[in-house]
């Protein structure tokens, strides 16, 4: 275990990076989208082995933090899920409940704030737009391509600012 007060940060997204959201995509395929049920089903997300292993491995040299587009109202379920998967303890940065900006804006804002005082070793995220913007801003990015992409989730992240 490393001294987390000085260690570089490894920043992990949750949905489709550590947590497999495939079972709850059906709530986004409806019109109107059922966001309450989509987020209520998150505690049943199966872990994604590749992402979980990478987070655990990263904790050897880095402080692991979690950066998600999930709304703040999901904090308790999210913290419980992370603990249940045996993921490294770490701060969780979430979207304010009323914030509907695209994930690439909210996440980059938080990354820049974190980078003022700490080295960010890597951002691990499945959202191509988040990854591209983070790379343009000078961050090292690992694209989490181990989950099946969802067109509805992509729209939710970019146009609706929901996750």
């Amino acid at each position: 275990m490393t001294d987390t007060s000085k260690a570089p940060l490894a920043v992990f997204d949750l949905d489709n990076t550590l947590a497999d959201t495939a079972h709850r995509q059906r709530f986004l395929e409806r019109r109107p989208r059922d966001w309450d049920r989509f987020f209520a089903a998150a505690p049943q997300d199966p872990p994604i082995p590749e992402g979980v292993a990478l987070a655990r491995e990263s904790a050897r040299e880095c402080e692991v933090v979690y950066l998600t587009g999930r709304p703040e109202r999901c904090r308790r379920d999210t913290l419980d899920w992370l603990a249940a998967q045996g993921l490294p303890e770490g701060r969780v940065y979430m979207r304010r409940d009323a914030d509907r900006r695209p994930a690439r804006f909210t996440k980059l804002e938080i990354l820049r704030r974190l980078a003022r005082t700490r080295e960010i070793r890597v951002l691990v995220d499945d959202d191509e737009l988040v990854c591209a913007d983070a790379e343009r801003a000078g961050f090292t990015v690992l694209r989490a391509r181990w989950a099946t992409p969802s067109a509805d989730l992509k729209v939710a992240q970019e146009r609706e600012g929901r996750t």
Side-chain angles (χ1 to χ4, degrees), residues 12-17 24 35 38-39 66-75 78 92-107 110 125-127 130 153 156-158 160-163:
F12 282 81
D13 172 48
L14 294 178
D15 292 338
N16 289 332
T17 298
R24 54 187 168 113
W35 290 105
F38 177 77
F39 288 120
Y66 303 97
L67 176 57
T68 180
R70 291 180 185 183
E72 185 63 42
R73 70 180 183 273
C74 298
R75 180 168 293 277
T78 298
V92 178
Y93 296 89
M94 303 182 87
R95 178 190 300 276
R96 289 184 318 273
D97 285 334
D99 189 344
R100 297 286 187 262
R101 293 175 295 156
R104 61 194 174 108
F105 298 133
T106 60
K107 288 184 175 184
I110 292 168
D125 201 302
D126 70 307
D127 184 322
V130 168
L153 187 58
Q157 290 170 326
E158 183 56 22
E160 297 179 21
R162 293 289 190 144
T163 184

Side-chain angles (χ1 to χ4, degrees), residues 123-139:
L123 165 67
V124 183
D125 201 302
D126 70 307
D127 184 322
E128 285 294 329
L129 295 172
V130 168
C131 292
D133 281 6
E135 284 176 331
R136 276 194 290 278
F139 294 101

Side-chain angles (χ1 to χ4, degrees), residues 15-82:
D15 292 338
N16 289 332
T17 298
L18 297 174
D20 185 346
T21 66
H23 72 101
R24 54 187 168 113
Q25 294 302 315
R26 67 186 186 274
F27 300 119
L28 300 184
E29 294 163 1
R30 303 173 177 168
R31 298 299 179 265
R33 299 183 200 281
D34 191 341
W35 290 105
D36 289 338
R37 291 181 72 191
F38 177 77
F39 288 120
Q44 285 76 51
D45 288 354
I48 300 175
E50 296 91 338
V52 170
L54 185 58
R56 289 178 182 151
E57 182 181 318
S58 296
R60 289 192 214 137
E61 295 183 8
C62 298
E63 178 184 344
V64 173
V65 299
Y66 303 97
L67 176 57
T68 180
R70 291 180 185 183
E72 185 63 42
R73 70 180 183 273
C74 298
R75 180 168 293 277
R76 180 77 265 146
D77 284 345
T78 298
L79 294 174
D80 290 347
W81 185 90
L82 290 167

